[in-house]
Amino acid sequence: MTKGTALKRLFLATTVLACATGLASAGDYSKYGIKEDVPGICSYAAIDAKDYSGRTLNVITHAIPVIGEPTALHAQQFQELTGATVNVVHVPFGDLFQRVMIPFQTQQAAYDVLFYASLWIGDFNPYLAEVPAEYQQVSGMQAVTATYRGIASWGDRMLQYTMDGDRHYLKYRADVFDNADAQALFKEKTGRDLTVPATWEEYNEVAAVFTNTDWDGDGAPNFGTAEVTKRDDLMFSAFISRVAPYAKHPDVKGGFFFDLETMTPLVNTPGWVRGLELFVEAQASMPPGGTSFGLGDEIFSFGGGQTLMSYSWDDAFIQAMQEDSPIRNKVAAAMLPGAREVWNRETGAWDSFEDPNRVAYVTWGWTSAVAKDSKNQDMAFDFLCFFANEGNTESDLQIGRFGINPYRDSHFDPAFYETELGWDKAVAETYTTTLKGIDTAPNQVFDLRVPGVGEFMSSLAAGVARAQSGEQTAQAALDGVAAEWNAIVERIGADRVREAYANVVALEDR
Amino acid sequence: MWSRSKTADLTEGRAPALRFPAPVSAWPASHPEGRIPQAQTASRFRRIPVYRQKYIFLLPGLLVLIAVILFPLLFTIRVSFSSWDVYNPGLNNAGGAMYARMWDDARYWEALRRLSVLSISTVLIQYVLGFALALLVWREIAARRFFRVLFLVPMMTTPVVMSVIWRTIFHESLGPLNPILDAIGIGAQPWLSQPGFAFAAVMVVEIWQWTPFMFLLLLAGLLSLPSEPFLAAKVDGAGPIRTFLSVTFPMMGAISVGAILIRAIEASKIMETVYVLTSGGPGTSTETVSYYIYIRGMRDFQIGYSAALSLTYLIIMAVALTLIAKALMRLMVRGAQA
């Protein structure tokens, strides 16, 4: 072999080695914390192959950590992979709606990508770009359950890019319900066996027995229930959870908040009033200060082991299952309690049910979208599909403070929570069974996704708060709310509200 | 010219009166400048526009004032006559519909009444406490400088942060206040979950945070008082209470009115404490006007309506504070002088 040939071979070998190393490093995205880069147009590899150098993406999102932190994280990753500049604006929740809405109304393309509460679609839909078909066909989007695809859609158009799934469900201390002493105490006080509450009456009864009692033996009193009761702090969702089984008759279609035909508010009908009366009654079983608990208080009260039961979103359950939690693997999940008597607004009478009417309340949930006026829609949708790709979502689901909760079929696999999060099998089973049950429940309630939803809910919360504080009776408070809702409908226009509300009813009456 | 007139007035035993120079045309021929040729005199008149240049110097400030204060105010007035909200974007012409709606809005008027009670009571308590603290460190006491700084600490903290801390203190399950009350036999109280207690909690935070402001202004006032009246009182044998009532308090009248008014203006805008501590609850028991306008404007996105609420509130507060100022002046300044 001549010297020249040897040099050529050395050069060739070096080149091949360098290429191989380059390819290997290009395909290794584990440094971003993902377990697997699922192939497709949203994958790390596909996004890495794009070049958005010199282009800027403006994103508005919630404050850190909930949603804000994963937005910042994936924006940074997207920037590194594509060369784009991604500006992320974090806004406190109270300001988020108007910070999105004002640029929309004044036709300024201030933001390309928006993260916000999914129930605002009734207000935002005229300003959002439809998710292109190619993104609707990706594996990650195809795996989104029908419920959450429905939430992302306005009529037959998908306007929101699903990246979170939320719902209300019951959480309780399984160790107490399984405890023989607790069972005996309950039997002694009520004459019946201690069971996981199947109705809200039972819920209140269990809560009352176990309130102001040191049932965990730590020397401090425990309480029956922690609920979100603070006005203007998502209390309306807690209230709707309590009302739904009394007011959402499984055989009566055509609206839960309004009668779709007449657009008459139903908020002061007997089913709603019963729900409010029980909500007020439960205050006696709440911890001190429980009648002004915000979501954060509820999370820490149940998640910290102070209360026996709670119901809201995943946060309190996830908090309870944190590795350092004193009640890790001592909790369980279940569908929201139901009602054995349901108001039938068609007959104007209460109908009795042997098996309680259980209503799944699919409420809230963060979502994302691209502004119709954005000049960077291609890059914006790439960012969102990257944000919500399978690898990123699996990673995000494991970090409680991110606020991202299950919404794909694969997220309801208990094995994921056992292996990735170290949950006990029984806990993982109740969690995923409950979530899946909500997703497929025959009787569901969704948020009031119509123009002016903020005003409707603000009015509802104020009315409920008046009843809670004793300023008014449940009936009087809800009569006041109904009067306000009539005024709002009149201002917006009944046809306009009806057209939007028909989308909600279509989801509920599927 | 001016000094000559002044001398003349003094000679006649009258108070000096300001007199402006006579116009050039009225100068006598003997006036040193009266010898200016007619053409030159005319040119003097032509130079008058030169003095108008002073307005050019005012212009930047004026423009800033218009941009910062007048434009938003005029824009708010315009918005208040529109029905701009989430479903009617833009500035349409809704006439006085928003004002008519406000007239029937019981929650707004109730919030206004609640705010009046809250502002008046907290400002008066702040005044009394601030005055007491100022009197305390006005005198020669040990570590006087330390106390002066210490008393100012609450005012220097961010209201939102302090409200969060106070919310933790008042937290009925986890906060430290209830265990302390329990320990001293008073018992735990429903600080944030009962209307009366929640209102009291908001008052406590307001008083804690803003008493130092009163203290600061009143201490500055005390330090600027002349010593002669106090010496005279001492010579006359007046005790501390008599000296306070007859010397200190009357001499502090003007600064007291100023301090009360400044605090009243600030107190009428109370928002952060309510937002963080109670969110206006329980029920609507701690909802103030600012917080209600925030809900209508920011949460419900009723821009036109919240503009009408804001403007009405501005007018009511301007009138109320003017009346309060007049009453206080009569009571504390002129009354004291009499």
Side-chain angles (χ1 to χ4, degrees):
Chain A
M1 188 166 49
T2 63
K3 191 179 174 185
T5 311
L7 276 173
K8 276 180 189 170
R9 284 186 178 174
L10 181 65
F11 177 73
L12 188 64
T14 311
T15 308
V16 169
L17 186 66
C19 287
T21 310
L23 283 174
S25 66
D28 179 15
Y29 298 104
S30 59
K31 68 174 182 177
Y32 291 109
I34 59 163
K35 198 173 173 186
E36 184 194 356
D37 187 30
V38 177
I41 63 169
C42 304
S43 66
Y44 272 80
I47 296 298
D48 198 3
K50 302 215 172 185
D51 181 10
Y52 288 131
S53 305
R55 295 179 65 183
T56 301
L57 193 66
N58 291 311
V59 180
I60 185 165
T61 187
H62 186 236
I64 286 173
V66 177
I67 301 301
E69 195 171 340
T71 307
L73 172 69
H74 298 315
Q76 178 65 31
Q77 294 165 343
F78 188 78
Q79 204 164 253
E80 286 174 20
L81 294 169
T82 65
T85 301
V86 185
N87 296 326
V88 180
V89 176
H90 295 275
V91 180
F93 182 70
D95 287 344
L96 189 56
F97 183 89
Q98 52 110 6
R99 286 286 295 272
V100 174
M101 196 58 171
I102 287 177
F104 277 163
Q105 291 195 340
T106 52
Q107 294 171 337
Q108 301 167 34
Y111 306 107
D112 302 295
V113 175
L114 323 140
F115 289 87
Y116 58 90
S118 61
L119 72 165
W120 295 343
I121 192 173
D123 296 313
F124 290 169
N125 71 83
Y127 310 102
L128 303 179
E130 187 171 355
V131 178
E134 66 205 89
Y135 294 96
Q136 293 191 39
Q137 298 307 317
V138 300
S139 57
M141 189 61 88
Q142 288 294 309
V144 172
T145 68
T147 299
Y148 295 104
R149 284 179 69 86
I151 282 181
S153 302
W154 188 251
D156 55 358
R157 295 182 305 141
M158 180 179 266
L159 297 180
Q160 299 185 146
Y161 205 104
T162 310
M163 35 65 68
D164 178 37
D166 272 348
R167 74 290 285 166
H168 267 198
Y169 59 91
L170 172 68
K171 303 130 204 176
Y172 61 94
R173 287 288 296 272
D175 59 328
V176 178
F177 275 82
D178 293 339
N179 182 284
D181 292 340
Q183 290 169 351
L185 173 73
F186 188 76
K187 181 96 177 172
E188 181 195 326
K189 296 237 175 170
T190 66
R192 70 176 184 89
D193 290 333
L194 177 62
T195 51
V196 177
T199 65
W200 284 109
E201 283 89 349
E202 288 179 16
Y203 183 96
N204 281 7
E205 188 180 39
V206 173
V209 169
F210 290 100
T211 207
N212 214 9
T213 313
D214 182 18
W215 38 254
D216 62 2
D218 67 352
N222 295 98
F223 299 88
T225 176
E227 307 179 31
V228 180
T229 50
K230 191 175 184 181
R231 206 194 77 190
D232 304 330
D233 199 347
L234 300 174
M235 175 260 266
F236 71 85
S237 281
F239 172 59
I240 291 168
S241 279
R242 276 186 167 269
V243 162
Y246 298 95
K248 179 74 166 57
H249 197 292
D251 303 325
V252 177
K253 309 293 182 190
F256 168 67
F257 295 99
F258 291 96
D259 179 329
L260 186 62
E261 276 184 24
T262 62
M263 287 313 290
T264 308
L266 301 172
V267 285
N268 57 342
T269 53
W272 284 74
V273 175
R274 174 76 63 86
L276 180 50
E277 285 167 351
L278 289 167
F279 196 25
V280 173
E281 180 189 278
Q283 292 184 120
S285 305
M286 294 175 187
T291 53
S292 59
F293 268 11
L295 181 60
D297 299 308
E298 183 257 353
I299 291 168
F300 286 107
S301 180
F302 179 79
Q306 187 188 31
T307 42
L308 180 70
M309 297 179 294
S310 174
Y311 63 93
S312 69
W313 295 271
D314 286 84
D315 315 78
F317 196 85
I318 302 297
Q319 175 74 22
M321 290 301 293
Q322 295 285 333
E323 283 188 11
D324 57 350
S325 166
I327 57 169
R328 183 171 162 87
N329 288 320
K330 292 179 179 174
V331 294
M335 291 275 287
L336 287 172
R340 286 202 168 84
E341 282 201 315
V342 186
W343 178 253
N344 186 330
R345 66 181 163 84
E346 285 183 348
T347 61
W350 290 96
D351 288 345
S352 295
F353 288 77
E354 196 169 326
D355 288 330
N357 174 39
R358 309 288 278 256
V359 180
Y361 180 30
V362 184
T363 175
W364 233 74
W366 290 95
T367 196
S368 59
V370 172
K372 200 159 70 178
D373 288 344
S374 166
K375 302 278 188 290
N376 299 300
Q377 290 193 11
D378 55 339
M379 185 166 50
F381 278 113
D382 269 347
F383 172 65
L384 288 181
C385 88
F386 168 73
F387 181 111
N389 73 29
E390 287 92 332
N392 281 338
T393 306
E394 268 204 12
S395 170
D396 294 345
L397 280 174
Q398 298 176 40
I399 304 169
R401 66 177 184 278
F402 277 15
I404 292 177
N405 302 122
Y407 61 92
R408 286 188 179 124
D409 292 323
S410 58
H411 300 163
F412 302 136
D413 177 9
F416 171 75
Y417 301 92
E418 285 179 64
T419 54
E420 301 298 330
L421 300 176
W423 292 10
D424 280 358
K425 190 176 180 182
V427 179
E429 287 282 355
T430 67
Y431 179 68
T432 53
T433 305
T434 301
L435 265 49
K436 203 168 185 174
I438 293 167
D439 204 64
T440 55
N443 198 0
Q444 290 179 316
V445 161
F446 291 82
D447 286 314
L448 182 62
R449 295 144 45 95
V450 299
V453 59
E455 196 179 345
F456 282 112
M457 290 303 112
S458 174
S459 162
L460 180 64
V464 172
R466 283 191 204 102
Q468 283 179 314
S469 68
E471 282 177 37
Q472 288 181 321
T473 63
Q475 184 68 62
L478 292 178
D479 284 345
V481 174
E484 284 184 22
W485 280 27
N486 272 322
I488 300 168
V489 169
E490 197 178 321
R491 276 206 311 280
I492 304 172
D495 290 340
R496 201 168 172 179
V497 182
R498 182 187 289 110
E499 188 186 346
Y501 188 50
N503 288 314
V504 183
V505 175
L507 282 175
E508 290 173 350
D509 293 350
R510 282 180 293 182
Chain B
M1 292 284 285
W2 187 88
S3 59
R4 200 169 55 187
S5 305
K6 185 180 175 187
T7 319
D9 284 341
L10 285 175
T11 0
E12 290 165 22
R14 286 182 280 127
L18 279 176
R19 289 193 185 162
F20 294 97
V24 175
S25 56
W27 288 353
S30 59
H31 191 281
E33 292 183 33
R35 288 192 296 273
I36 299 168
Q38 193 61 36
Q40 214 174 326
T41 314
S43 79
R44 274 203 160 214
F45 280 106
R46 281 199 301 274
R47 280 171 58 198
I48 286 174
V50 171
Y51 295 120
R52 287 182 183 157
Q53 285 173 350
K54 65 189 176 189
Y55 295 115
I56 295 172
F57 290 100
L58 289 176
L59 204 58
L62 202 64
L63 288 175
V64 169
L65 188 75
I66 289 170
V68 172
I69 298 176
L70 282 183
F71 174 73
L73 184 64
L74 294 174
F75 186 68
T76 307
I77 293 170
R78 173 64 189 92
V79 171
S80 74
F81 288 101
S82 76
S83 60
W84 183 2
D85 58 23
V86 73
Y87 28 84
N88 295 307
L91 295 173
N92 60 355
N93 188 5
M98 298 300 115
Y99 290 94
R101 184 179 157 198
M102 180 193 68
W103 191 252
D104 294 329
D105 190 343
R107 198 166 147 190
Y108 177 69
W109 299 110
E110 179 59 24
L112 191 63
R113 184 200 63 78
R114 194 175 295 117
L115 174 74
S116 308
V117 175
L118 186 69
S119 312
I120 292 170
S121 54
T122 55
V123 170
L124 286 180
I125 295 170
Q126 286 162 15
Y127 175 70
V128 172
L129 291 177
F131 210 150
L133 291 174
L135 286 170
L136 191 71
V137 297
W138 178 41
R139 298 293 178 200
E140 293 296 330
I141 60 163
R144 187 176 54 173
R145 285 178 193 280
F146 169 75
F147 283 117
R148 283 180 185 176
V149 175
L150 183 72
F151 291 156
L152 292 178
V153 168
M155 194 182 73
M156 293 188 285
T157 54
T158 314
V160 172
V161 173
M162 286 324 300
S163 299
V164 171
I165 291 172
W166 275 101
R167 190 179 63 186
T168 310
I169 292 170
F170 284 126
H171 199 288
E172 294 160 40
S173 302
L174 312 170
L177 183 58
N178 272 348
I180 293 170
L181 293 177
D182 255 339
I184 59 177
I186 293 175
Q189 304 297 329
W191 289 109
L192 301 177
S193 52
Q194 291 292 325
F197 281 95
F199 195 79
V202 173
M203 281 183 67
V204 167
V205 178
E206 274 292 289
I207 291 165
W208 178 85
Q209 177 118 43
W210 294 113
T211 296
F213 179 82
M214 283 287 192
F215 161 76
L216 187 68
L217 287 192
L218 296 171
L219 180 64
L222 286 170
L223 292 172
S224 67
L225 294 181
S227 57
E228 292 82 358
F230 294 96
L231 287 172
K234 199 172 182 180
V235 169
D236 289 346
I241 294 173
R242 181 73 183 166
T243 305
F244 174 77
L245 292 176
S246 303
V247 181
T248 317
F249 189 72
M251 286 201 297
M252 287 291 286
I255 195 155
S256 294
V257 171
I260 290 171
L261 280 179
I262 292 170
R263 265 310 302 147
I265 291 167
E266 283 300 309
S268 68
K269 295 186 286 190
I270 178 172
M271 164 76 198
E272 307 93 339
T273 313
V274 172
Y275 176 80
V276 176
L277 208 60
T278 62
S279 293
T284 50
S285 60
T286 57
E287 193 171 82
T288 58
V289 176
S290 308
Y291 186 66
Y292 180 64
I293 293 172
Y294 163 77
I295 289 174
R296 287 296 186 221
M298 300 292 105
R299 292 270 176 93
D300 300 354
F301 206 76
Q302 296 179 49
I303 307 295
Y305 186 51
S306 59
L309 296 177
S310 303
L311 271 177
T312 308
Y313 174 55
L314 178 70
I315 293 165
I316 291 171
M317 291 320 294
V319 171
L321 288 168
T322 305
L323 293 175
I324 290 170
K326 284 197 169 190
L328 286 175
M329 285 296 284
R330 187 170 297 167
L331 192 73
M332 299 180 76
V333 181
R334 288 176 213 156
Q337 282 169 355

